[in-house]
Amino acid sequence: MTATGRVSGDDVVTEHPVCAPCTGCSVDWKRASEQAQLDSDCRGHGQCSSCDINFNRINETYSLKRFAAEKSVRDTGASSATVLRANLEHGRPFVKFVCIPGLPRHHTICKKGQLWEPEAHLVVNTLSLQRLSDFCGMQGISSRSWVAHVRGKSPAGLPLDPMNNHPVEVPLDQLGIFSSPAPGIALSALCGGPKGPDLLMEIPSHQVVEAALFDFVFCAGDRHTQNVFIDDNANIRLIDNDNLLGQQVLDTHNPNNRRLCAVSSLFLPGNMESWRLRKSGHCRNRVSTLDYRCHVGPRGLVKLRPKLESCLRHFAATDVDGLVSEFGLGRPEFAESLKQRAVDLLEHGLPEALRRAGLHELKIAMAHAHERPVNQTWDSISPREREKIANWRDSMWRPTEPAVCHGMRPTWEGAPFDYRVDTSFAGSA
């Protein structure tokens, strides 16, 4: 896919309208979001073609206006992907290239004109996830994404790794994954300054719950502080969503692998990402307040928006082949696990659905109990033992422990929807 503009995920046959057309490479993402917020059944965008683009590097330092003195260096990332900024009719979206021929980031090599499977998978995932989030009414918490074939040049001096830059321009003639710009800065950058962490206490509660539901329903396996953005008004937006739906743990070479979904999100309890942040010193320990239970109550029960409930019922009632065809899913396994999470969420509620979704990861974890403290609480193990499990990814399961909320008071006033079952909940320690 590094040389062709044909995207298999665009071949999905659907009778549903798109939320906005794509002209060349350009999508009016604001119009698309407004359309998706209506009761219309629009999904995704029109099929893009190709275009010539003048690309720019993304800013190496950035900050929020209210903390202008606390500038942070934008993280270069640890994958082979390169992210650039495009100048288009409707604004300046980000464009992600999974691998650029001639730009060996982190020693990853891909060749022009040859199909590169990692790119092919993420391209299809991008398109199907946008359709799914629009259908479920969850597009507002996430950046919008689309795919187009681009021609241009990557600027000279792009980082190959933390220590080295590529000295010259590299021609581009391949597919790019476009994303609407998320306002603000990454949480990881916010946490670098002395005042920034306090902004986490101001995030609207409904956005935290929507992020948690988004990551659970669509199986986010790597929701860390670098792919959550926050603006000056404490609004958050999820970015870098092309690896969801189970793509991160999919192993097509092992037919016996049943690791269909491994949720790891700082918004949800009982997984690697939230467990290692729950009592850590990172960000003055304020990231722990993004556990959705700090906003709905310790039981973790939530109500569902009517559009989300309707979409979950559709997932539950539709067979695997039907979901693959309708939304252009890249693998039947994605539909299988999507159906199961929908059934569990509808029948048992989010806390129990989370527990059930983690059972396979728990089984993997317990198989390593002889070498790692996999089934012990944070306070019961030493700092050295925590290091053995903090970044361990063979299993994303971790014990579900009480939320650490620092006395934060949830902000539900003016929310478009109150997800609390217990509407009297006003905060806890």
Side-chain angles (χ1 to χ4, degrees):
M1 283 213 180
T2 55
T4 69
R6 190 64 171 163
V7 184
S8 60
D10 270 335
D11 297 338
V12 60
V13 178
T14 177
E15 299 177 356
H16 303 281
V18 297
C19 299
C22 181
T23 305
C25 299
S26 185
V27 166
D28 186 343
W29 60 80
K30 294 181 180 178
R31 174 187 170 187
S33 293
E34 291 169 357
Q35 190 66 26
Q37 288 173 5
L38 302 175
D39 290 333
S40 64
D41 190 22
C42 73
R43 306 177 190 181
H45 313 104
Q47 184 169 343
C48 301
S49 54
S50 63
C51 63
D52 296 281
I53 294 181
N54 177 29
F55 288 104
N56 301 116
R57 296 182 64 166
I58 58 178
N59 294 335
E60 293 182 340
T61 61
Y62 60 165
S63 65
L64 294 177
K65 291 180 180 179
R66 65 191 288 182
F67 306 127
E70 298 181 10
K71 292 188 179 296
S72 299
V73 177
R74 193 184 293 269
D75 187 83
T76 59
S79 73
S80 64
T82 297
V83 180
L84 300 175
R85 204 78 187 260
N87 297 295
L88 296 178
E89 175 186 358
H90 299 292
R92 302 184 65 228
F94 293 101
V95 187
K96 177 178 179 178
F97 298 99
V98 182
C99 182
I100 297 176
L103 189 71
R105 267 182 55 83
H106 296 284
H107 308 290
T108 301
I109 304 294
C110 54
K111 296 182 179 180
K112 183 176 180 179
Q114 294 185 10
L115 179 70
W116 201 56
E117 283 194 11
E119 178 189 76
H121 295 321
L122 296 186
V123 160
V124 174
N125 247 29
T126 295
L127 297 169
S128 57
L129 183 64
Q130 188 61 65
R131 298 187 190 103
L132 288 166
S133 60
D134 285 338
F135 177 62
C136 293
M138 302 187 73
Q139 78 294 328
I141 195 64
S142 171
S143 60
R144 296 194 69 84
S145 296
W146 62 99
V147 176
H149 189 102
V150 303
R151 294 174 296 273
K153 293 181 179 179
S154 67
L158 291 178
L160 297 175
D161 54 51
M163 303 299 295
N164 300 287
N165 295 332
H166 196 67
V168 298
E169 296 178 338
V170 176
L172 295 168
D173 185 7
Q174 63 186 98
L175 291 174
I177 298 174
F178 288 70
S179 295
S180 59
I185 63 176
L187 292 187
S188 55
L190 180 79
C191 293
K195 298 179 181 178
D198 290 334
L199 189 60
L200 299 180
M201 308 288 277
E202 302 176 23
I203 296 173
S205 292
H206 75 277
Q207 294 182 13
V208 173
V209 180
E210 286 172 3
L213 287 168
F214 185 99
D215 282 355
F216 175 73
V217 172
F218 301 132
C219 188
D222 195 27
R223 183 69 66 201
H224 49 72
T225 57
Q226 291 175 14
N227 56 31
V228 181
F229 266 53
I230 186 168
D231 68 16
D232 280 283
N233 296 314
N235 295 304
I236 58 172
R237 192 72 57 88
L238 309 180
I239 69 164
D240 202 12
N241 299 312
D242 50 24
N243 212 16
L244 276 63
L245 301 176
Q247 179 64 54
Q248 191 174 33
V249 294
L250 178 69
D251 183 2
T252 58
H253 302 293
N254 180 6
N256 297 318
N257 176 49
R258 297 303 297 168
R259 201 181 181 198
L260 303 186
C261 170
V263 174
S264 186
S265 166
L266 57 86
F267 298 103
L268 295 163
N271 62 76
M272 180 197 75
E273 194 60 44
S274 61
W275 190 84
R276 66 182 179 178
L277 292 172
R278 181 176 162 272
K279 285 192 175 182
S280 78
H282 177 66
C283 211
R284 298 214 324 267
N285 194 226
R286 290 299 187 259
V287 180
S288 66
T289 64
L290 297 185
D291 183 325
Y292 86 99
R293 297 174 297 172
C294 291
H295 298 262
V296 301
R299 296 173 63 201
L301 298 175
V302 299
K303 294 184 293 187
L304 302 177
R305 278 194 180 198
K307 189 168 184 178
L308 175 57
E309 182 174 350
S310 175
C311 105
L312 294 174
R313 294 195 183 283
H314 181 73
F315 295 160
T318 306
D319 63 26
V320 167
D321 291 341
L323 289 175
V324 169
S325 175
E326 182 177 358
F327 295 99
L329 300 178
R331 298 285 305 183
E333 292 91 343
F334 299 165
E336 181 183 343
S337 63
L338 184 66
K339 278 177 60 67
Q340 189 60 59
R341 290 192 301 282
V343 169
D344 289 343
L345 188 51
L346 289 168
E347 293 185 358
H348 304 288
L350 184 53
E352 176 61 13
L354 273 171
R355 188 192 70 81
R356 289 170 176 247
L359 288 176
H360 189 75
E361 293 298 296
L362 171 60
K363 182 178 179 181
I364 296 173
M366 294 309 295
H368 293 267
H370 62 287
E371 59 186 26
R372 296 179 188 272
V374 295
N375 196 25
Q376 300 181 49
T377 63
W378 179 277
D379 292 332
S380 68
I381 58 179
S382 67
R384 185 173 181 179
E385 289 177 313
R386 290 171 194 156
E387 291 178 2
K388 290 183 178 181
I389 196 171
N391 300 310
W392 183 58
R393 295 175 181 271
D394 287 3
S395 168
M396 294 298 183
W397 183 90
R398 301 293 187 272
T400 296
E401 302 187 57
V404 179
C405 305
H406 297 293
M408 185 201 69
R409 298 188 65 82
T411 54
W412 286 101
E413 184 177 355
F417 184 82
D418 191 337
Y419 290 92
R420 290 175 297 177
V421 170
D422 178 8
T423 55
S424 67
F425 176 72
S428 62

